Amino acid sequence: MPLMSASGSFTRYKIVGDVPDAVLREPVDILKHHAFQDIDATADERSFGWVSFEDMLDNRFASAPPQKAHYLLFALRLDTRRISPAVFKKHLRVALDAERQAGKEDGRNFVTKDRKTELAEQVKLRLMARSLPIPAVFDVVWNVDTHDVYLNSTNSKVQELFEDLFTLTFELHLERMTPSFLAARILGEARTKELEDIEPSPFAAGA
């Protein structure tokens, strides 16, 4: 639970638009539709989905419900298999050498481009099946009173993955609470145009 650490990095969001009561009434059923699926026994490169805030192995939310007072707490789990480029290069070289040797015995003097591509894919799948996925967990906190949402990551790829999955799961749109977004909320819609006309001010001589 990174959220319980002494320090952490977060991205703040605001849910834009109305939140249906059904979403807050039955969040577990909704989260389960996009729960994390384990890929340990497969050769899949990546898997992601929702898991319990308390237990990254619990994708059924059986250990504890996400409802905590006026918050919903759950987590985004992302498992990724990675193959070292050096390892891939070595095994592809072995496969190509074997293919060339077999070709010579059959009277073929070269390996076609399509065959090289096919061999590369076979090598990748074989290595994927032999490597274990690396898990990563990112806590999510949703204040159901203010509809502010916090993601325990500032990585741009994780942010995009989270935003897409959140929208797919809850059919709600998130806006990052950037300085510009917060300023627009303070000024109101009538004065938003003023933000677009703001220009940087030089504070250093010669800037």
Side-chain angles (χ1 to χ4, degrees), residues 3-207:
L3 183 67
M4 306 303 286
S5 304
S7 61
S9 299
F10 295 87
T11 303
R12 294 195 303 163
Y13 295 90
K14 172 67 74 177
I15 295 176
V16 179
D18 296 331
V19 177
D21 291 340
V23 171
L24 304 179
R25 200 164 48 241
E26 301 292 345
V28 172
D29 290 342
I30 297 173
L31 287 166
K32 283 181 180 176
H33 282 113
H34 297 279
F36 174 82
Q37 301 300 316
D38 201 275
I39 57 172
D40 282 2
T42 74
D44 293 348
E45 187 171 1
R46 190 174 79 149
S47 179
F48 57 87
W50 307 122
V51 294
S52 166
F53 176 80
E54 286 83 357
D55 184 359
M56 64 179 283
L57 301 180
D58 180 9
N59 65 352
R60 307 301 295 169
F61 299 90
S63 56
Q67 299 99 323
K68 317 286 186 194
H70 58 281
Y71 290 94
L72 290 180
L73 275 69
F74 47 98
L76 169 65
R77 177 173 166 183
L78 170 63
D79 279 23
T80 309
R81 278 190 169 88
R82 297 188 181 93
I83 301 173
S84 161
V87 172
F88 176 76
K89 186 176 180 180
K90 171 198 163 185
H91 285 267
L92 180 58
R93 167 70 187 281
V94 171
L96 286 171
D97 286 351
E99 184 72 10
R100 290 191 181 98
Q101 184 60 38
K104 286 180 181 177
E105 295 172 0
D106 294 338
R108 290 181 282 112
N109 296 321
F110 63 93
V111 181
T112 65
K113 183 178 179 181
D114 287 346
R115 181 57 180 158
K116 288 180 180 177
T117 301
E118 185 181 347
L119 285 172
E121 188 61 27
Q122 290 175 358
V123 169
K124 180 180 177 182
L125 286 174
R126 192 160 60 243
L127 293 176
M128 284 284 186
R130 292 166 58 181
S131 68
L132 290 174
I134 302 169
V137 178
F138 308 95
D139 290 339
V140 179
V141 179
W142 176 351
N143 184 323
V144 297
D145 286 343
T146 63
H147 295 312
D148 292 345
V149 178
Y150 298 82
L151 170 68
N152 183 207
S153 176
T154 55
N155 179 284
S156 60
K157 291 183 179 178
V158 175
Q159 289 171 331
E160 291 173 10
L161 178 66
F162 166 72
E163 292 161 13
D164 290 344
L165 186 60
F166 189 94
T167 298
L168 183 65
T169 303
F170 298 105
E171 298 182 355
L172 296 170
H173 180 65
L174 291 171
E175 283 283 352
R176 293 183 198 178
M177 284 201 262
T178 61
S180 175
F181 176 82
L182 294 172
R185 287 182 61 196
I186 294 171
L187 292 175
E189 188 175 349
R191 298 184 60 192
T192 300
K193 181 69 171 56
E194 296 176 27
L195 293 172
E196 299 174 1
D197 298 332
I198 291 178
E199 295 183 358
S201 298
F203 293 103

